[in-house]
Amino acid sequence: MKPPAKAELRRHSIAAELIAVLVAATNGQPRVMTIDSGNALPSGPFELGHRSLQSGLRDWVEQQTRHPLGYIEQLYTFADRDRAGDDAHRVISISYLALAREGQAESADKATWRNWYDYFPWEDHRDGTPPALPEIIVPQLNTWAKAADNTLIRSERQQRTAVAFGLDGHSWNEELVLQRYELLYEAALVEEAHRGRVKNPTPSVFGPAMAADHRRILATGIARLRAKIKYRPVVFELMPPTFTLLQLQRSVEALAGRLVHKPNFRRLVEQQELVEETGAMTADMRGRPAKLFRFRHDVLAERAVAGTKLPVSRA
Amino acid sequence: MKPPAKAELRRHSIAAELIAVLVAATNGQPRVMTIDSGNALPSGPFELGHRSLQSGLRDWVEQQTRHPLGYIEQLYTFADRDRAGDDAHRVISISYLALAREGQAESADKATWRNWYDYFPWEDHRDGTPPALPEIIVPQLNTWAKAADNTLIRSERQQRTAVAFGLDGHSWNEELVLQRYELLYEAALVEEAHRGRVKNPTPSVFGPAMAADHRRILATGIARLRAKIKYRPVVFELMPPTFTLLQLQRSVEALAGRLVHKPNFRRLVEQQELVEETGAMTADMRGRPAKLFRFRHDVLAERAVAGTKLPVSRA
DNA sequence: ATATATATACTCATTTGGAGCATATCTCCT
DNA sequence: AGGAGATATGCTCCAAATGAGTATATATAT
């Protein structure tokens, strides 16, 4: 079979949308760029004038947020009919993960940086397991699991819940952000599962919904970033030119949503030769002044795609 | 900024194409499904009638190859204008990696399974480094690198070549399939770089071109699969229901393009409890009969997305 | 019988990864 | 002035994972 002719291709035309999960890490908190008062991610249609998907994305984000993009990586392409929102005009959503340092310049469209745990309160385990997990979320998921009429579906739901939320024997895996969100969606605990129906008046424990499936895309981005910081030195895209090892550690912890062992973190960073001293020290800090480091940009060339791992302990 | 209205979205309509890298492993060789006498990957337009991207892909592949798809995972979405082929009517290509067991049923469209090393001869290191690498490919890349007028570009080209092909100090990394292909493309050593111009009459060392950018997509799929077999038990999607440990090892080696240490391979497979004995033994083989195993499907549920690693040694 | 090919088991050294302890040097508060 | 609290930095210890080698068992082919 030959590729279809041009005329035939056009007949199947469909709109394509570009969506960005733009992440920063500021003062030890993970941040995500939103528009529309925190209700949506920056996005816009892919147009014939765009040179490439990436440049189209840059255009839209910089126009909507006046914030430049640094590192960019493709996340996923969605086209689910049932999740699109109200009616079914077909749109393909091509999502990207973008990393940057938080700047000022919030502009039109009510572009604002938000703490991403506003949208996923159950994902932040830096101060231990959030109380809402054992007290509210897990019980409600269990109720949902037991509500299945079929024994098979019931045990499958319980199995998935246990793996995703680290129950009976399983340990918490911070990378399963998307699986957890999908479970909450299936269990209709999250507001966007009721789209079109009753508006849930209690945002509290489950966080606020976002437009269309933007919260799912955000979950995808967080999951990808949490996985990636372990084997690629992407954190440095989020750091200022010069930083202390503790600041670096705090950024990693912010993204991972869990604490790491300080001595081991330092050991790994130094033995991997990811950073070099600037010679300067911090001042105006509370404790003992710390050495300032900068990222060794040449390692990007040297090891390039190869393995460069930062620790995020598993227990 | 609100999401654009429906009418506005339609104005930016663009065609979307689904492309599959369908992989099997047969008799210790990696196989890829092609159509048009090995000239293209199975593909077809995404249509309004398709329930989802995945189901659209299944429809096209099964229609073109009469071969059912098993495991499916999204690879990447392309829209580069310059790589599209001849003229510039805009198409978005959404590519997938699919795994299956090689079946009979080759049908219309000249659908055939091919050894993927036909297209990437330099990627098979199971019998040691292919002679063409040091003798032809690397020298030609060095010539290309030196031909840059700018010193910076020159050293950047040499650096990239060294990392990708494991030269001076760097070791061969089997995952860098795409980087290697891209270098060969940039250096115009690969036929498709001459598209529209002179047809290179010597396919030999650099393998044959494919339609449009299908060879690049194949490289993307191989790279993804080589990375994935190390931390997810996907090889089993390619195995028959029952197999010996050596057959399993040969499949891993076929995909990775390098040999693994047999005792260590067995140790890992067994201690991870990925397989269980069937009780039966092989017959009709040359050496000592081997136990037959089957994959323990419950580990997919248990550990799900968690880490399950198969070894492909690094040295 | 012997060569050859495969299966299977075991050992050893090194590296990696998680966790704890000890000490040093600041600021801030009383 | 002195102590509390916070941060920085260095070192040790142990257990698990990993890479590599060796030895033995059981089949087929000639």
Side-chain angles (χ1 to χ4, degrees):
Chain A
M1 180 162 190
K2 297 182 193 72
K6 267 172 280 179
E8 190 182 346
L9 274 176
R10 292 208 200 286
R11 229 186 294 140
H12 305 291
S13 283
I14 280 165
E17 192 190 19
L18 301 168
I19 306 187
V21 177
L22 172 54
V23 174
T26 314
N27 299 325
Q29 293 302 331
R31 312 275 283 169
V32 58
M33 175 67 89
T34 64
I35 61 171
D36 193 17
S37 305
N39 196 43
L41 297 172
S43 64
F46 178 55
E47 293 165 337
L48 292 165
H50 290 138
R51 277 193 318 281
S52 67
L53 294 172
Q54 292 211 3
S55 70
L57 185 84
R58 281 182 195 277
D59 288 354
W60 279 113
V61 173
E62 289 175 10
Q63 174 187 322
Q64 289 176 19
T65 71
R66 305 256 179 269
H67 200 285
L69 298 184
Y71 174 92
I72 287 188
E73 132 179 359
Q74 200 178 91
L75 266 183
Y76 204 80
T77 301
F78 302 90
D80 299 351
R81 201 145 42 181
D82 51 348
R83 291 284 272 273
D86 39 5
D87 64 338
H89 66 268
R90 213 53 180 286
V91 179
I92 293 180
S93 301
I94 305 166
S95 59
Y96 282 81
L97 172 66
L99 305 181
R101 290 161 197 85
E102 179 168 342
Q104 54 313 332
E106 308 185 348
S107 73
D109 294 324
K110 297 178 196 150
T112 53
W113 289 102
R114 301 272 168 140
N115 185 320
W116 78 27
Y117 293 123
D118 290 353
Y119 301 96
F120 301 97
W122 59 88
E123 292 290 345
D124 188 1
H125 289 229
R126 286 175 294 175
D127 299 320
T129 302
L133 263 178
E135 292 168 12
I136 303 175
I137 299 179
V138 169
Q140 296 212 34
L141 280 169
N142 281 330
T143 305
W144 164 73
K146 288 195 199 105
D149 18 284
N150 180 331
T151 312
L152 244 126
I153 295 181
R154 198 154 42 230
S155 79
E156 180 254 11
R157 284 181 178 180
Q158 275 164 336
Q159 175 82 21
R160 284 203 295 148
T161 303
V163 170
F165 287 87
L167 310 177
D168 43 68
H170 300 270
S171 58
W172 177 263
N173 182 343
E174 74 278 357
E175 294 182 26
L176 305 184
V177 185
L178 183 60
Q179 285 85 342
R180 285 188 281 269
Y181 174 77
E182 291 285 336
L183 276 171
L184 296 176
Y185 184 94
E186 283 184 56
L189 296 175
V190 117
E191 190 193 323
E192 47 270 55
H194 299 274
R195 193 89 65 187
R197 289 183 256 163
V198 200
K199 164 103 176 174
N200 190 339
T202 60
S204 57
V205 185
F206 298 103
M210 297 182 88
D213 58 349
H214 285 196
R215 205 174 170 198
R216 180 170 57 145
I217 295 172
L218 177 52
T220 306
I222 296 173
R224 175 80 127 259
L225 189 49
R226 282 185 170 183
K228 198 136 197 173
I229 48 172
K230 291 179 187 165
Y231 62 93
R232 213 60 77 68
V234 283
V235 219
F236 297 101
E237 304 285 342
L238 307 172
M239 302 300 295
T242 222
F243 50 83
T244 71
L245 292 183
L246 186 61
Q247 286 167 345
L248 182 64
Q249 182 182 341
R250 291 285 178 249
S251 292
V252 169
E253 290 172 338
L255 303 179
R258 53 164 51 188
L259 301 178
V260 307
H261 186 76
K262 192 192 312 202
N264 292 349
F265 181 81
R266 297 166 143 269
R267 175 174 65 187
L268 216 58
V269 170
E270 289 177 340
Q271 86 185 11
Q272 300 230 138
E273 300 181 305
L274 296 175
V275 298
E276 62 191 3
E277 300 184 13
T278 65
M281 307 279 285
T282 51
D284 289 339
M285 301 297 289
R286 194 116 68 145
R288 166 176 169 180
K291 290 179 189 165
L292 283 169
F293 292 83
R294 80 171 67 88
F295 179 54
R296 288 187 53 232
H297 284 278
D298 31 335
V299 306
L300 287 183
E302 282 171 24
R303 312 194 214 165
V305 197
T308 317
K309 33 191 171 172
L310 285 179
V312 170
S313 70
R314 43 180 88 157
Chain B
M1 179 162 189
K2 298 183 193 72
K6 266 172 278 180
E8 191 182 345
L9 273 176
R10 294 207 199 288
R11 228 186 295 140
H12 305 290
S13 284
I14 280 166
E17 190 190 20
L18 302 168
I19 307 187
V21 177
L22 172 54
V23 174
T26 313
N27 298 325
Q29 293 302 331
R31 311 277 282 168
V32 59
M33 176 67 90
T34 63
I35 60 171
D36 193 18
S37 306
N39 195 44
L41 297 172
S43 66
F46 179 56
E47 293 166 337
L48 292 163
H50 290 137
R51 279 192 318 280
S52 67
L53 293 173
Q54 292 210 4
S55 70
L57 186 83
R58 282 183 194 278
D59 288 353
W60 279 113
V61 173
E62 291 175 9
Q63 175 187 322
Q64 289 176 17
T65 71
R66 304 256 179 269
H67 200 284
L69 299 184
Y71 175 92
I72 288 188
E73 130 179 1
Q74 200 178 91
L75 268 182
Y76 204 79
T77 301
F78 301 90
D80 300 350
R81 200 144 43 179
D82 50 347
R83 292 284 272 271
D86 40 4
D87 65 338
H89 66 269
R90 212 54 179 284
V91 179
I92 293 179
S93 301
I94 305 166
S95 59
Y96 280 82
L97 173 65
L99 305 181
R101 291 161 197 85
E102 179 168 340
Q104 53 313 335
E106 308 185 350
S107 72
D109 294 324
K110 295 180 199 151
T112 53
W113 288 102
R114 300 272 168 139
N115 186 320
W116 78 28
Y117 293 123
D118 290 353
Y119 301 96
F120 300 97
W122 59 88
E123 290 291 345
D124 188 1
H125 288 228
R126 287 176 294 175
D127 299 321
T129 301
L133 263 178
E135 291 168 12
I136 302 175
I137 299 179
V138 169
Q140 296 210 35
L141 280 168
N142 281 331
T143 305
W144 165 73
K146 288 195 199 105
D149 20 284
N150 180 330
T151 311
L152 244 127
I153 296 182
R154 198 153 44 228
S155 79
E156 181 254 13
R157 284 182 178 179
Q158 275 163 338
Q159 175 82 17
R160 283 203 295 149
T161 303
V163 170
F165 287 87
L167 311 177
D168 43 69
H170 300 270
S171 60
W172 177 263
N173 182 341
E174 74 279 358
E175 294 182 27
L176 304 185
V177 185
L178 184 60
Q179 285 84 343
R180 284 187 281 268
Y181 174 76
E182 290 286 336
L183 276 171
L184 295 176
Y185 184 94
E186 282 184 57
L189 296 175
V190 116
E191 189 194 324
E192 47 270 55
H194 300 275
R195 193 91 64 190
R197 288 184 257 163
V198 200
K199 164 99 176 176
N200 189 338
T202 60
S204 57
V205 184
F206 298 103
M210 297 182 88
D213 59 349
H214 286 196
R215 206 174 172 197
R216 179 169 59 145
I217 294 173
L218 177 53
T220 307
I222 295 174
R224 175 79 129 263
L225 189 50
R226 282 185 171 182
K228 198 137 198 174
I229 48 172
K230 290 180 188 165
Y231 62 94
R232 212 64 75 65
V234 282
V235 218
F236 298 102
E237 304 285 342
L238 306 173
M239 302 300 295
T242 223
F243 49 83
T244 71
L245 292 183
L246 185 60
Q247 286 168 345
L248 181 65
Q249 182 183 340
R250 292 285 177 249
S251 292
V252 169
E253 290 172 336
L255 303 179
R258 54 163 51 187
L259 300 178
V260 307
H261 187 75
K262 189 188 321 197
N264 292 348
F265 180 82
R266 296 166 144 270
R267 176 175 63 189
L268 216 59
V269 170
E270 289 177 342
Q271 87 184 11
Q272 299 231 138
E273 300 181 304
L274 296 175
V275 297
E276 63 191 3
E277 300 183 13
T278 64
M281 307 280 283
T282 51
D284 287 340
M285 302 296 290
R286 192 115 69 145
R288 169 176 167 181
K291 289 180 189 165
L292 283 170
F293 292 83
R294 79 171 67 88
F295 179 54
R296 287 187 54 233
H297 284 278
D298 30 337
V299 306
L300 287 183
E302 283 171 23
R303 312 193 213 168
V305 197
T308 315
K309 32 190 171 171
L310 285 179
V312 170
S313 68
R314 40 181 92 157

